[in-house]
Amino acid sequence: QKEVEQDPGPLSVPEGAIVSLNCTYSNSAFQYFMWYRQYSRKGPELLMYTYSSGNKEDGRFTAQVDKSSKYISLFIRDSQPSDSATYLCAMSAGGFQKLVFGTGTRLLVSP
Amino acid sequence: GAVVSQHPSRVICKSGTSVKIECRSLDFQATTMFWYRQFPKQSLMLMATSNEGSKATYEQGVEKDKFLINHASLTLSTLTVTSAHPEDSSFYICSANPRLAGGTDTQYFGPGTRLTVL
């Protein structure tokens, strides 16, 4: 079993839809949770960072962490074609340890 | 803030040659940088952790004599692929942790280097 599980997609939605992206994990020591967006042939771009459980909102993006269920989510409101990319969840146990990544979910937003 | 650059962005070389890739943190100091490789439609695979002033820590299965890492300063780490072969063709990405006060583990990534070995 992988430490972090993420559905690879692709997830296809129409423009304006609310998108829900999710990851599950098995290591209860994880405390720091991140979402990255990666366009084709580019490096990942940090979207959201969350420490421990709870919600965090930034513009159209909302990150949720449920440590009791070992489940994290990223919601994108009013999705745009420019949101079409691969979204990677990442997490770590802290102490500047290495990140553990999900496989990434490919999102396609059609006009 | 927290910008990481990589050079070159793309390199094509003949089999048997060595290729050096530079990773720079432009607006912060990074005592630790990470090197990843990524195959098409796959996730990032951590190759090694680069520590300023000390030897890099390689992940299991990564040949340290083939992938030489040097972290000579707080803003520069280099990855040298020695005697490159076609199977080394991949997308190489570095990242750095600003180690901000508060203990965040956030990493910021460079734009990546696409290596093609003929």
Side-chain angles (χ1 to χ4, degrees):
Chain A
Q1 182 187 6
K2 293 181 180 179
E3 273 192 296
V4 179
E5 299 277 359
Q6 185 176 10
D7 188 330
L11 176 62
S12 296
V13 301
E15 182 176 358
I18 297 174
V19 175
S20 173
L21 303 167
N22 312 291
C23 288
T24 60
Y25 62 95
S26 57
N27 188 343
S28 58
F30 288 147
Q31 298 184 73
Y32 297 89
F33 304 92
M34 282 140 274
W35 285 95
Y36 289 88
R37 176 175 63 193
Q38 186 177 24
Y39 292 109
S40 181
R41 298 173 180 264
K42 301 290 184 184
E45 171 194 9
L46 179 67
L47 280 179
M48 300 287 286
Y49 157 76
T50 309
Y51 169 69
S52 193
S53 286
N55 295 357
K56 187 173 185 179
E57 187 174 322
D58 184 1
R60 296 186 296 112
F61 299 93
T62 299
Q64 287 185 352
V65 174
D66 183 348
K67 290 188 68 179
S68 63
S69 301
K70 297 189 179 68
Y71 188 88
I72 70 170
S73 301
L74 177 70
F75 298 96
I76 306 174
R77 292 182 296 280
D78 187 25
S79 57
Q80 303 294 310
S82 58
D83 295 328
S84 298
T86 296
Y87 290 80
L88 298 152
C89 64
M91 48 199 79
S92 81
F96 305 109
Q97 295 182 24
K98 61 185 180 183
L99 296 181
V100 180
F101 284 87
T103 54
T105 299
R106 187 174 170 219
L107 172 65
L108 301 172
V109 182
S110 55
Chain B
V3 178
V4 177
S5 70
Q6 268 184 256
H7 179 80
S9 59
R10 186 174 183 177
V11 58
I12 301 172
C13 68
K14 293 182 179 180
S15 184
T17 60
S18 294
V19 175
K20 180 185 284 188
I21 303 170
E22 292 186 350
C23 177
R24 293 182 185 273
S25 56
L26 298 185
D27 52 1
F28 64 96
Q29 293 184 335
T31 55
T32 303
M33 291 183 173
F34 303 86
W35 287 96
Y36 298 81
R37 67 188 295 183
Q38 186 177 35
F39 292 105
K41 298 186 179 181
Q42 294 188 23
S43 190
L44 302 167
M45 185 190 81
L46 180 65
M47 299 175 65
T49 301
S50 169
N51 301 298
E52 188 267 337
S54 64
K55 291 183 179 180
T57 303
Y58 290 82
E59 295 299 301
Q60 189 174 9
V62 177
E63 299 176 59
K64 58 182 179 182
D65 294 330
K66 181 168 187 63
F67 298 100
L68 301 179
I69 291 173
N70 185 295
H71 195 149
S73 76
L74 289 173
T75 59
L76 173 64
S77 175
T78 59
L79 168 68
T80 301
V81 183
T82 61
S83 186
H85 291 282
E87 58 267 28
D88 298 323
S89 298
S90 188
F91 193 51
Y92 292 85
I93 314 174
C94 70
S95 72
N97 188 323
R99 293 214 174 193
L100 300 172
T104 175
D105 274 18
T106 306
Q107 290 181 23
Y108 293 88
F109 286 83
T113 297
R114 183 158 302 280
L115 171 63
T116 302
V117 185
L118 302 176

